[in-house]
Amino acid sequence: MKIIQDNFEMLLAVMKGIAGQFGDNCEVVLHDHSKGLESSIVAIINGHVTKRKVGDPSSNLGLEVLRGTDVDGDKYNYFTQTKDGKMLRSTSIYLRDETGKVSGALCINQDISEFIAAEKAIQGITQRNIIEQDTVKEVFVTDVNEILDHLIQECMQVIKVPVINMGKKEKMDAIKFFDDRGAFLIKKAGEKICEFLNISKYTLYTYLAELKGEDNNEE
């Protein structure tokens, strides 16, 4: 059963209802993963919030859900930030077929930047501290390769060893980092990761096999 295609009109009606309720600063997005991660957005309302359009890719969180790293999947009322600094309150609901496989996602991104500015102005007057909630690192892009660039930068911060000084352990840790975040679901990601780590494709596949062997042993 094709969950998204078969229920497209109903899902679109729900999207219009959500956007109509919360206004122009509320982006509502429908992803169909059967279209490929590189062009999974099949419907979007108020795309100006993240500057995306129909035909644009999934986010990094979508990759982690499809990879199986994020088992829980659905996320409600979490905070994200766009590349141009907008603060968003977001919800991502993953749509599954009768076998439980993720077929797509319905996502809501409410721009709350103006409310945060007002909150800070009030805080400046009242001198009261307002508890800040953790912000989820979700990357909204118009080209799926931007996600890979983001993951490479994040990997460098996590491993904390320059590539030129990396041994086998650090390179395997880096490959595990990319694998856990679904990077290898992106077409030709292996080539870019090999170039980043200065290894051959053979070495990449060898290290991946070793990592999967370790995972099986842990089970």
Side-chain angles (χ1 to χ4, degrees):
M1 180 180 179
K2 297 180 179 179
I3 298 296
I4 309 301
Q5 296 94 322
D6 292 348
N7 297 281
F8 184 80
E9 293 302 325
M10 181 270 289
L11 291 168
L12 189 59
V14 171
M15 292 173 64
K16 290 178 179 177
I18 294 170
Q21 177 72 26
F22 295 103
D24 293 342
N25 286 331
C26 180
E27 177 189 79
V28 190
V29 189
L30 180 63
H31 292 274
D32 182 353
H33 292 140
S34 71
K35 301 294 184 181
L37 294 172
E38 295 81 4
S39 55
S40 66
I41 295 180
V42 292
I44 185 167
I45 300 174
N46 295 329
H48 62 271
V49 172
T50 61
K51 297 181 180 178
R52 293 180 296 172
K53 62 185 183 305
V54 169
D56 281 347
S58 176
S59 73
N60 59 312
L61 294 188
L63 289 180
E64 291 185 23
V65 170
L66 290 176
R67 167 63 179 78
T69 305
D70 189 338
V71 179
D72 297 329
D74 296 348
K75 285 183 171 58
Y76 304 96
N77 198 30
Y78 61 95
F79 292 87
T80 56
Q81 187 171 3
T82 64
K83 289 187 293 185
D84 57 359
K86 294 176 185 173
M87 289 300 301
L88 311 179
R89 194 174 70 186
S90 302
T91 288
S92 296
I93 301 169
Y94 291 89
L95 308 173
R96 302 174 185 271
D97 62 20
E98 64 274 12
T99 68
K101 180 181 177 181
V102 173
S103 298
L106 181 63
C107 304
I108 305 167
N109 300 302
Q110 177 84 42
D111 183 359
I112 58 170
S113 303
E114 293 180 359
F115 294 103
I116 290 176
E119 182 182 54
K120 288 183 177 179
I122 294 171
Q123 182 182 357
I125 296 173
T126 62
Q127 298 297 306
R128 291 174 61 89
N129 292 324
I130 298 174
I131 298 174
E132 294 185 358
Q133 301 190 42
D134 291 336
T135 301
V136 176
K137 292 183 178 179
E138 182 167 16
V139 185
F140 304 106
V141 298
T142 56
D143 181 345
V144 74
N145 288 305
E146 292 180 42
I147 295 178
L148 193 53
D149 291 335
H150 167 79
L151 291 177
I152 287 173
Q153 293 298 318
E154 191 176 356
C155 179
M156 292 172 66
Q157 295 174 10
V158 170
I159 303 299
K160 296 180 180 178
V161 176
V163 175
I164 194 172
N165 295 329
M166 283 187 185
K168 179 179 178 180
K169 180 185 181 302
E170 289 80 16
K171 290 187 178 183
M172 287 188 70
D173 287 345
I175 290 169
K176 186 176 189 304
F177 171 89
F178 289 121
D179 189 31
D180 286 346
R181 284 155 182 78
F184 294 109
L185 295 174
I186 300 173
K187 290 180 181 178
K188 298 185 178 180
E191 295 178 9
K192 192 162 188 175
I193 290 171
C194 284
E195 183 180 349
F196 165 61
L197 294 175
N198 193 26
I199 58 176
S200 67
K201 282 189 176 181
Y202 174 81
T203 301
L204 172 64
Y205 295 139
T206 300
Y207 286 177
L208 277 171
E210 287 188 40
L211 288 169
K212 293 184 185 300
E214 291 175 5
D215 290 343
N216 291 335
N217 291 333
E218 289 175 2
E219 293 174 1

